[in-house]
Amino acid sequence: MDRMRNFRILVQYEGTRYLGWQRQDSTGNTIQGKLEAILAKMTGLDFVQVDGSGRTDAGVHALGQVANFKIDTGMSAQEVMDHINQYLPEDIGVISIQEVPERFHSRLNAKGKTYRYRIWNSKLPCVFERRYVYEMPDRLDLDAMRAAASYFVGKHDFKAFTSNKKSKKSTVRTIDAIRLEKVGNEIVITYSGDGFLYHMVRILTGTLIEVGLGQRTPESMAKLLENNASRDLSGVLVPAKGLCLVEVRY
Amino acid sequence: MDRMRNFRILVQYEGTRYLGWQRQDSTGNTIQGKLEAILAKMTGLDFVQVDGSGRTDAGVHALGQVANFKIDTGMSAQEVMDHINQYLPEDIGVISIQEVPERFHSRLNAKGKTYRYRIWNSKLPCVFERRYVYEMPDRLDLDAMRAAASYFVGKHDFKAFTSNKKSKKSTVRTIDAIRLEKVGNEIVITYSGDGFLYHMVRILTGTLIEVGLGQRTPESMAKLLENNASRDLSGVLVPAKGLCLVEVRY
């Protein structure tokens, strides 16, 4: 066997048409599946595994997903990227590539991630960005949402903020910062942390929206982080289309 | 007949799915057609005419198309707008409405328009904005394009910059300003003038791109505005999807 080279790529996608990042058996239309199919064809192998920094759900977008794969090729990194882009559909794109040491693994080495959730907070139609925002026309109290978000910052057990009931893995995560900004008609919430549980950002956002609507108080967030908290106490799961994986840190 | 009230609306649309602004007989999918169908149903009439400030071609977008229509209704302007938006598809939206004097006509009273053409000037894929930009990866000389654009500013006969051969109407127009900006990977060209001929902005842009590629000199623009100039001397017609009607002035 020849020397295997490890390539790290930065991937953007509009998630609208996809079942998510993760490969599925048979016909599942996924981003990982698309990349793996192109690389298998390029190398002439039956299968080339592409590891992502983590899954993104069906309909979720990515501005900066990171992935890596090991192939035996004489092509330059730039040539590999150009080849992949040539065969990718127009709603997925590789925007940078580097050859990295063999030990680099996009998921295992990830130290932190940033996600952004965009809320179109207006009764007006959102024509051009409609695929990337969640339309929530009712007035939201941004100050109350900010006060509520401050409870989530730090190291907490977020078991009330995940849809994954079966997992026995730790549900403790550290959120470094949550920023809420009003940008035109939008409220943009940016979450940075060491990692996020299944559906965590969307349930956190749904809970913050309920605070913004006056249905919960900021102070009531404390209870959702306690030992006896559970999914039925936290807020609604907001739609995937408002969510975007912005950055993965190493 | 009751008093007819005149409503002026500001309309946004993503042109991708449409045959353009202008109503067509039978099955044509047009923005004017959609608006007229909703208003006819709302008023119970066979037909309600919606006049736009001008046509936009198939695939062209609008951030600020202006239109007006006369109806006899007891609804408030806000109620009329909400009703229209409720029935419009998500790629068309009315973002403001006002009741105006009966004599106001969106086309006849228009004093000027601003169009924007967006060029994605990079070899990298453009994932999120791909429906709104023209991908032109080759390096463009922005200074040369700016020098060329300066020839077009002022009152000129633009007959070499329209696809409409049959018309006997004047092809003299005044361009007030052309601004070329580099914004990230994009070159954005903004045209303001008293009016634009059929395909004029797209042919001007195609010609400026040929200057940017070094295929024409800025100085050669002068010839294209002379008496004996014709369409076969000017540049290529660039794709509709990069074009957007930004504003109509009254």
Side-chain angles (χ1 to χ4, degrees), chain A residues 90-147:
Chain A
E90 60 178 8
D91 49 7
I92 309 178
V94 177
I95 61 162
S96 76
I97 188 168
Q98 6 166 196
E99 191 169 351
V100 289
E102 204 193 349
R103 67 184 179 282
F104 175 81
H105 189 287
S106 55
R107 181 168 50 82
L108 299 176
N109 296 154
K111 286 210 168 63
K113 286 182 185 172
T114 298
Y115 278 94
R116 185 166 64 200
Y117 199 93
R118 293 171 61 183
I119 302 163
W120 179 258
N121 190 30
S122 168
K123 287 181 172 47
L124 292 175
C126 177
V127 170
F128 300 101
E129 297 291 296
R130 66 187 187 278
R131 297 175 184 90
Y132 307 118
V133 298
Y134 167 45
E135 290 99 342
M136 162 42 75
D138 300 323
R139 212 190 101 57
L140 295 173
D141 180 341
L142 196 58
D143 288 336
M145 293 170 74
R146 284 194 176 118

Side-chain angles (χ1 to χ4, degrees), chain B residues 31 87 115 117 119 121 149 152 162 165 172 174 191 199 214 248:
Chain B
I31 295 97
Y87 290 99
Y115 278 94
Y117 198 93
I119 301 164
N121 190 29
F152 301 137
T162 176
K165 293 168 192 166
V172 174
T174 299
Y191 301 84
H199 282 172
V248 186

Side-chain angles (χ1 to χ4, degrees), chain B residues 175-191:
Chain B
I175 294 185
D176 304 314
I178 305 179
R179 206 171 63 232
L180 289 97
E181 298 164 289
K182 182 107 177 103
V183 184
N185 285 324
E186 283 184 38
I187 289 176
V188 181
I189 313 181
T190 309
Y191 301 84

Side-chain angles (χ1 to χ4, degrees), chain A residues 8-164:
Chain A
R8 168 180 167 169
I9 54 174
L10 195 62
V11 188
Q12 296 189 334
Y13 44 90
E14 180 192 328
T16 315
R17 291 198 308 136
Y18 296 95
L19 295 172
W21 166 266
Q22 194 178 36
R23 170 198 337 122
Q24 299 194 356
D25 294 335
S26 70
T27 56
N29 197 22
T30 69
I31 295 98
Q32 185 185 33
K34 291 277 177 208
L35 289 166
E36 289 182 344
I38 291 167
L39 288 169
K41 206 153 192 174
M42 186 183 97
T43 55
L45 299 171
D46 288 338
F47 178 66
V48 173
Q49 181 164 328
V50 175
D51 287 309
S53 73
R55 310 172 190 182
T56 54
D57 295 329
V60 173
H61 316 293
L63 201 62
Q65 170 70 293
V66 174
N68 73 293
F69 53 86
K70 296 177 182 179
I71 55 172
D72 172 20
T73 179
M75 294 164 79
S76 71
Q78 182 67 48
E79 285 167 344
V80 171
M81 172 169 138
D82 290 347
H83 180 94
I84 297 172
N85 278 330
Q86 192 184 333
Y87 290 99
L88 279 174
E90 60 178 8
D91 49 7
I92 309 178
V94 177
I95 61 162
S96 76
I97 188 168
Q98 6 166 196
E99 191 169 351
V100 289
E102 204 193 349
R103 67 184 179 282
F104 175 81
H105 189 287
S106 55
R107 181 168 50 82
L108 299 176
N109 296 154
K111 286 210 168 63
K113 286 182 185 172
T114 298
Y115 278 94
R116 185 166 64 200
Y117 199 93
R118 293 171 61 183
I119 302 163
W120 179 258
N121 190 30
S122 168
K123 287 181 172 47
L124 292 175
C126 177
V127 170
F128 300 101
E129 297 291 296
R130 66 187 187 278
R131 297 175 184 90
Y132 307 118
V133 298
Y134 167 45
E135 290 99 342
M136 162 42 75
D138 300 323
R139 212 190 101 57
L140 295 173
D141 180 341
L142 196 58
D143 288 336
M145 293 170 74
R146 284 194 176 118
S150 70
Y151 284 85
F152 300 137
V153 176
K155 187 173 180 180
H156 300 288
D157 188 341
F158 288 97
K159 66 173 179 296
F161 296 93
T162 176
S163 307
N164 200 343

Side-chain angles (χ1 to χ4, degrees), chain B residues 154-224:
Chain B
K155 188 175 180 177
H156 301 287
D157 188 341
F158 288 99
K159 65 173 179 297
F161 296 93
T162 176
S163 305
N164 200 344
K165 293 168 192 166
K166 290 166 290 181
S167 177
K168 297 239 169 81
K169 291 182 188 166
S170 168
T171 48
V172 174
R173 294 290 184 277
T174 299
I175 294 185
D176 304 314
I178 305 179
R179 206 171 63 232
L180 289 97
E181 298 164 289
K182 182 107 177 103
V183 184
N185 285 324
E186 283 184 38
I187 289 176
V188 181
I189 313 181
T190 309
Y191 301 84
S192 294
D194 63 352
F196 294 89
L197 304 166
Y198 180 55
H199 282 172
M200 178 171 156
V201 178
R202 291 162 61 189
I203 299 170
L204 285 170
T205 303
T207 308
L208 291 177
I209 286 174
E210 290 170 15
V211 171
L213 292 170
Q215 298 167 356
R216 295 170 183 262
T217 63
E219 298 71 32
S220 69
M221 298 301 104
K223 282 202 304 288
L224 302 176

Side-chain angles (χ1 to χ4, degrees), chain B residues 217-236:
Chain B
T217 63
E219 298 71 32
S220 69
M221 298 301 104
K223 282 202 304 288
L224 302 176
L225 298 168
E226 286 174 3
N227 260 332
N228 56 346
S230 63
R231 173 67 188 100
D232 53 299
L233 297 176
S234 58
V236 71

